[in-house]
Amino acid sequence: MPATDNQSSFLNRISIRRNQVSSMEHDQENENIELFSKHVVDYFADLLPSHTSSTTNADPSSTSLESPAPDLHPDLLSICWFQNLLDIFLCCEAEFKAAVVMGRDPLHFGKPPLDRLIPELLDRAVKALDVCNAVSSGLDLTRQWQKLAQIAVSSLEQKPIGEGQVRRARKALNNLLTSMMLDDRDGNYHGKGTDRSWSFGRRGGGGASKNDRTGGSFRPLSCSVAKSWSAAKQVQAMSSNLVAPKAAEQTGLASPVYIMSTVMVFVMWSLVAAIPCQERTGLQTHLNVPRQLEWAKPITVLQEKIGEEWKKKEKRGAAGVLDEIKKMEKLAKSLVEFADSFNFPLEEEKVVEVAEMVAELAEVCQKMEEGLPALQLQVREVFHRIVRSRSEILDVVDQNGKASLPPVLY
């Protein structure tokens, strides 16, 4: 056989082998994306009020990098529920990086549609950091409310209840309700205090230069968040360019980027709705998850339920949709009514009624005392995870930028 025939046959085998490897890599990529999408469904289905564990019917061979595996199914919008929500966010974030970032050829990030979607994701992450800071400040305020409620509980647990104890409880509860009822639409939010440096270094299109990152974390810039900063507008900005991939892009890397972006926006939206944050007017209209996508169904159900609670919150002028806050506010109002009409000695029936309300408020205070510090730590963990992941993605983007530069000739 002529040498040219041997060479042609050899090149054909190489070409076939390359096509086979490329096809296998493509199939693996699609499998990872599908698995990520399935886990998002399972995770958020666990948060639904009428929970039926989707993991019982799950493929035993499909395992995630981290599993939230909540031991309990707490009440919707309780502190424990939000702890599970943040655990799920961290799991989704870890799986997203495994499916999209780790081991990825940097050249992928320079091609459409990732050349547009990745910078948008990075910019969305910066805005999420500001929201985390606002929520952390709101949790500080909520812990102050818990302390005021605890003062009232300690006073009204005294037996017999005298005028001194009632006056002390009334003062604490009035301070609590006054703080809760300040209208954040008028800029009276207690937690905002003075301007703070929240935003972090960013490069055009959502990136950041190497000088903006030190030791794997972000260096805050000198700019401050103005008193006019709005949590609702921040969430709106995060979702403004959140568009579902086109039909031709739904099987590629655009899909997991969109899923992770939606998860991030939903989590931040939920936190702002639950925890007192600076300026939340119109928050309900700032998130729109497409119902037709299979992975988004449990998120849309949760969005509707939180939206219903938000409508009640705006109608009442309440502080947030966190379950413990709602219960605390209701009990505080009832106990203030009791204090205003207090006459010594109390009738036995009234003693029993007050004791029940005080016991219920004590239970709420206990849940908040145990849960709020842990929730605040989780918010900080989410903050640092977003910072770290953003830095890792930027490293890949930087590698792509260097690879695309023309060679230097000496």
Side-chain angles (χ1 to χ4, degrees), residues 3-174:
T4 53
D5 291 344
N6 288 333
Q7 185 177 11
S8 175
S9 176
F10 174 74
L11 292 175
N12 286 337
R13 289 199 300 272
I14 290 293
S15 176
I16 292 172
R17 180 57 179 165
R18 284 176 177 172
N19 290 337
Q20 289 175 339
V21 171
S22 176
S23 177
M24 290 173 62
E25 290 177 347
H26 183 69
D27 291 343
Q28 183 62 47
E29 179 178 285
N30 288 340
E31 183 179 341
N32 291 340
I33 293 172
E34 184 178 349
L35 197 59
F36 173 60
S37 174
K38 181 181 183 304
H39 286 160
V40 170
V41 175
D42 292 342
Y43 291 158
F44 283 92
D46 285 341
L47 294 175
L48 295 174
S50 55
H51 167 76
T52 53
S53 178
S54 58
T55 56
T56 55
N57 298 322
D59 181 359
S61 62
S62 62
T63 57
S64 61
L65 294 180
E66 305 173 43
S67 177
D71 296 328
L72 302 173
H73 304 299
D75 294 336
L76 180 68
L77 302 182
S78 65
I79 293 173
C80 188
W81 187 89
F82 274 98
Q83 289 176 315
N84 289 345
L85 175 66
L86 294 186
D87 282 342
I88 284 172
F89 173 82
L90 294 173
C91 291
C92 291
E93 193 275 341
E95 293 195 33
F96 167 76
K97 283 198 301 182
V100 176
V101 181
M102 294 180 180
R104 180 68 53 189
D105 184 346
L107 293 176
H108 282 91
F109 284 14
K111 298 177 182 178
L114 291 187
D115 62 336
R116 171 180 55 85
L117 296 178
I118 293 298
E120 289 177 355
L121 176 66
L122 295 174
D123 185 64
R124 203 169 285 122
V126 171
K127 293 179 172 62
L129 297 179
D130 282 350
V131 173
C132 286
N133 273 313
V135 169
S136 183
S137 295
L139 287 170
D140 283 335
L141 177 61
T142 307
R143 293 173 73 174
Q144 295 301 317
W145 293 347
Q146 181 261 322
K147 292 176 182 177
L148 288 170
Q150 190 62 56
I151 291 172
V153 168
S154 300
S155 300
L156 297 177
E157 282 181 336
Q158 303 296 320
K159 298 189 186 328
I161 300 176
E163 292 185 5
Q165 289 89 357
V166 171
R167 281 197 301 270
R168 187 166 183 257
R170 182 197 289 119
K171 181 179 179 180
L173 292 172
N174 278 330

Side-chain angles (χ1 to χ4, degrees), residues 1 12 61 77 81 87 130 157 169 184 190 197 257 293 302 304 320 336 346 384 391 395-397:
M1 182 181 294
N12 286 337
S61 62
L77 302 182
W81 187 89
D87 282 342
D130 282 350
E157 282 181 336
D184 58 8
H190 274 204
S197 296
V257 173
L293 300 176
L302 291 171
E304 289 174 356
V336 166
L346 284 176
H384 290 297
S391 181
D395 285 338
V396 178
V397 172

Side-chain angles (χ1 to χ4, degrees), residues 242-245 250 258-259 262 287-301 303:
L242 189 58
V243 181
Q250 290 181 0
Y258 175 68
I259 293 174
T262 303
L287 178 63
N288 184 24
V289 181
R291 299 172 178 271
Q292 71 273 17
L293 300 176
E294 186 68 27
W295 61 265
K297 288 182 178 178
I299 295 180
T300 56
V301 173
Q303 180 192 358

